[in-house]
Amino acid sequence: MTTTTMTTATMTTAQNPFVNRMKMSSLQWAQVALMSVTIAPVRFILAFGLLIITWVIASIFTIGASSDFTVPVSKFRQSLYNLLRKMGRVIIFFLGISIEVRGRRASSREAPILLGCPHSSYMDIIVWFVTGGLPAAMTKEENLRLPIFGTLFKAVQPVCVNRTDVKSRAIALNRLKARVCGSGSGEWPQIVIFPEGTCTNKTSLITFNRGAFVAGVPVQPLAVRWQCPHVDCITWTEVSEPSWKLIWIMICQLPSTRVIIEYLPVYHPNEAEVAEPNLYAANVRNVLAEHLRVPCSQFTYEDRSLMRHARKIGFPEEHAVVEFHSAHKHFGVSLPRIKSHLDTFSAMMTSPHQYDVSVQQLAQLLQLPADLASLRELFSTHYDVSNRGRIDFREYVRGFSSLATLVDDIACERIIRAISDSGSREDHREMDVILNRVEENLGFRPDQIDSNFLEFIQKRPEFVKLFQLCMEER
């Protein structure tokens, strides 16, 4: 009962934030076609031309600057970098984007870190060009290798991180701490961080990365609201239109696309939040969620990794998310482990577009008859918590993980005892079927808890619960 309750409590129906399907009417496509041969080309030429000029100037301004961004630039060079900010503002104007700024940007002494949210587009770089001096950035290493934009990123004195490398993340975190603790002296500019760590469709605020909160310094939340006149041509995430298409449609918009950048009051952490970065991150997220009037969800960047893995193995990618933060918090499962679950779950599909399974398909996986009462009870209490008669991948991971918590020495000893007593017990068809399945898998009838038996039980913890249900009936 306890396990079932925990499984039910941690299940959610939050919408996948990494999917954004753009729908346009015939009239909207007609507008794009008309703008494509009139105003849009002019906008593009002006914006791209100025971008090239900005890139050339940035290349000159960054000559001699620290290549690993561990030494702050001089005041003079910083003033040159601020010229790039003004040029970026003009490029945005040429693209047909109007900007409205609300609130006041705090100084670096008041808030060393600016937190942009929600992060929904490559166009969120606009936050660097709105007010004040050009802030620094925390960005992924691969951005420095982008044509043209890689040079521009160097001008914002970034803290670079490789998200898949634990060592790189630790180094980046230490550099971030050093910067924000010294930003009050004026050596380093404020740093802009998008704490979600990836782009979403704005339907919820996903789990914030703790990195921005580890230093325990005050932060200023920055609400970013995009207002598209006809169709959302801004949101770019795992499943969405390609970036080049979105950019062109955005340029073709009349009236223009509008973005509201709103500086919220500086958030000063209390002692508990300074001691616990995860609490700090969660509380700041709640403030932003309330202000933006969107819910919070437990998705993370790891969910996007699962979608990419699903694409490789031919599973419908938008159904591969599990709200990783919640699954990891409650069950301790790792990303590689969940990818392994996805491989297993995908193998049960009978068609390319199928994304859920029935008790019959689970029975095939376990090589058991689907009419076993114990199997159907297990399916309904641990997997099918929504009572749909079918389970998706999220439910499968939660159900499997809750069953895995049942695997302990006492449970294993009871199973071995049941196997040992099988010759003297009264006829019990379900127990016989389950025991035969265990014996067939191991190749012998186990009489002790050895490595082979433990490996089998850990791989398929459903058998622990099946044995328990059968023994309860006896």
Side-chain angles (χ1 to χ4, degrees):
M1 289 299 295
T2 302
T3 303
T4 304
T5 303
M6 181 169 61
T7 305
T8 304
T10 56
M11 283 298 301
T12 71
T13 56
Q15 179 181 341
N16 187 338
F18 307 116
V19 176
N20 186 64
R21 302 192 184 280
M22 186 176 66
K23 297 180 180 180
M24 293 179 60
S25 66
S26 299
L27 184 59
Q28 290 168 343
W29 279 116
Q31 177 185 324
V32 170
L34 179 61
M35 289 287 291
S36 295
V37 295
T38 53
I39 299 176
V42 177
R43 284 180 171 178
F44 177 78
I45 292 172
L46 290 173
F48 186 73
L50 185 55
L51 176 63
I52 295 299
I53 295 174
T54 305
W55 167 63
V56 172
I57 295 175
S59 299
I60 297 173
F61 286 178
T62 54
I63 294 175
S66 172
S67 59
D68 59 1
F69 315 108
T70 56
V71 179
V73 300
S74 65
K75 294 291 185 181
F76 175 71
R77 193 186 292 268
Q78 183 67 44
S79 66
L80 295 178
Y81 286 176
N82 285 331
L83 174 61
L84 301 178
R85 180 186 69 81
K86 295 176 182 178
M87 296 178 72
R89 186 74 179 252
V90 178
I91 293 173
I92 292 167
F93 171 76
F94 285 157
L95 289 173
I97 301 174
S98 62
I99 303 174
E100 178 184 344
V101 179
R102 298 177 181 175
R104 181 187 69 87
R105 175 176 166 181
S107 67
S108 58
R109 290 182 180 274
E110 295 173 290
I113 298 176
L114 303 174
L115 296 179
C117 199
H119 189 20
S120 63
S121 171
Y122 48 86
M123 293 303 299
D124 287 338
I125 60 173
I126 281 178
V127 301
W128 272 272
F129 307 128
V130 287
T131 60
L134 185 67
M138 190 165 192
T139 186
K140 52 188 180 181
E141 287 182 349
E142 51 264 39
N143 283 341
L144 296 181
R145 298 189 289 271
L146 293 173
I148 301 179
F149 292 98
T151 301
L152 298 176
F153 267 110
K154 293 177 183 178
V156 297
Q157 306 178 75
V159 175
C160 298
V161 60
N162 183 338
R163 290 183 290 193
T164 61
D165 187 336
V166 175
K167 184 177 179 181
S168 173
R169 294 202 300 267
I171 293 174
L173 188 58
N174 289 332
R175 289 182 177 177
L176 176 64
K177 287 181 182 178
R179 285 204 189 186
V180 299
C181 291
S183 61
S185 63
E187 292 185 345
W188 289 103
Q190 286 172 296
I191 185 166
V192 174
I193 297 177
F194 291 97
E196 292 176 293
T198 189
C199 291
T200 73
N201 60 15
K202 307 183 291 291
T203 55
S204 66
L205 294 188
I206 67 174
T207 304
F208 281 7
N209 292 327
R210 68 197 300 268
F213 306 92
V214 171
V217 297
V219 299
Q220 183 173 30
L222 186 62
V224 182
R225 289 191 180 97
W226 287 95
Q227 297 179 346
C228 303
H230 305 298
V231 62
D232 184 359
C233 53
I234 292 296
T235 301
W236 179 62
T237 185
E238 192 64 32
V239 177
S240 62
E241 301 296 332
S243 57
W244 63 265
K245 183 177 180 180
L246 292 172
I247 290 174
W248 189 255
I249 293 175
M250 178 188 66
I251 295 175
C252 292
Q253 295 300 296
L254 274 180
S256 300
T257 300
R258 183 166 175 257
V259 60
I260 300 173
I261 308 294
E262 184 172 6
Y263 293 99
L264 275 61
V266 174
Y267 190 103
H268 296 272
N270 56 36
E271 291 184 3
E273 292 168 332
V274 171
E276 179 47 64
N278 288 330
L279 174 64
Y280 189 5
N283 289 344
V284 173
R285 183 174 68 146
N286 290 337
V287 169
L288 272 162
E290 182 177 357
H291 182 79
L292 294 165
R293 297 183 180 180
V294 295
C296 294
S297 65
Q298 301 299 307
F299 294 101
T300 66
Y301 178 77
E302 283 76 10
D303 287 288
R304 283 193 71 165
S305 297
L306 287 171
M307 293 176 69
R308 292 168 185 172
H309 184 68
R311 191 183 307 139
K312 291 180 181 179
I313 63 176
F315 183 79
E317 55 192 315
E318 60 190 273
H319 297 287
V321 295
V322 298
E323 292 196 85
F324 180 83
H325 178 75
S326 177
H328 179 71
K329 177 181 178 181
H330 288 94
F331 304 111
V333 290
S334 64
L335 180 60
R337 180 61 170 163
I338 297 182
K339 286 183 177 180
S340 176
H341 286 322
L342 184 56
D343 292 335
T344 301
F345 190 77
S346 178
M348 289 190 278
M349 301 302 109
T350 57
S351 66
H353 301 294
Q354 183 183 350
Y355 63 88
D356 56 7
V357 300
S358 63
V359 65
Q360 288 80 10
Q361 289 167 293
L362 180 64
Q364 292 177 0
L365 174 68
L366 301 178
Q367 298 180 19
L368 292 171
D371 61 349
L372 290 181
S374 56
L375 177 60
R376 290 185 172 275
E377 182 176 348
L378 177 148
F379 183 82
S380 63
T381 57
H382 284 268
Y383 283 118
D384 186 21
V385 294
S386 58
N387 297 317
R388 295 188 301 113
R390 303 183 69 84
I391 60 171
D392 59 20
F393 180 58
R394 194 183 315 191
E395 292 171 309
Y396 174 78
V397 169
R398 302 303 174 92
F400 184 98
S401 300
S402 69
L403 288 168
T405 63
L406 301 177
V407 179
D408 56 23
D409 292 341
I410 296 177
C412 291
E413 289 174 1
R414 287 177 178 175
I415 295 173
I416 293 295
R417 191 180 307 118
I419 295 174
S420 301
D421 296 342
S422 60
S424 59
R425 70 177 188 276
E426 296 181 3
D427 180 64
H428 194 293
R429 174 180 172 273
E430 294 212 0
M431 181 72 84
D432 288 337
V433 171
I434 297 169
L435 285 174
N436 289 337
R437 170 70 185 96
V438 174
E439 293 173 23
E440 289 172 4
N441 185 275
L442 296 176
F444 59 92
R445 175 167 292 203
D447 56 5
Q448 61 180 347
I449 303 175
D450 59 12
S451 59
N452 291 326
F453 176 76
L454 284 176
E455 181 180 358
F456 171 74
I457 289 299
Q458 290 170 353
K459 183 178 180 180
R460 295 269 44 115
E462 292 94 344
F463 282 90
V464 173
K465 186 62 179 179
L466 291 173
F467 273 114
Q468 289 180 355
L469 291 172
C470 287
M471 287 186 286
E472 289 172 3
E473 294 178 5
R474 290 179 59 190

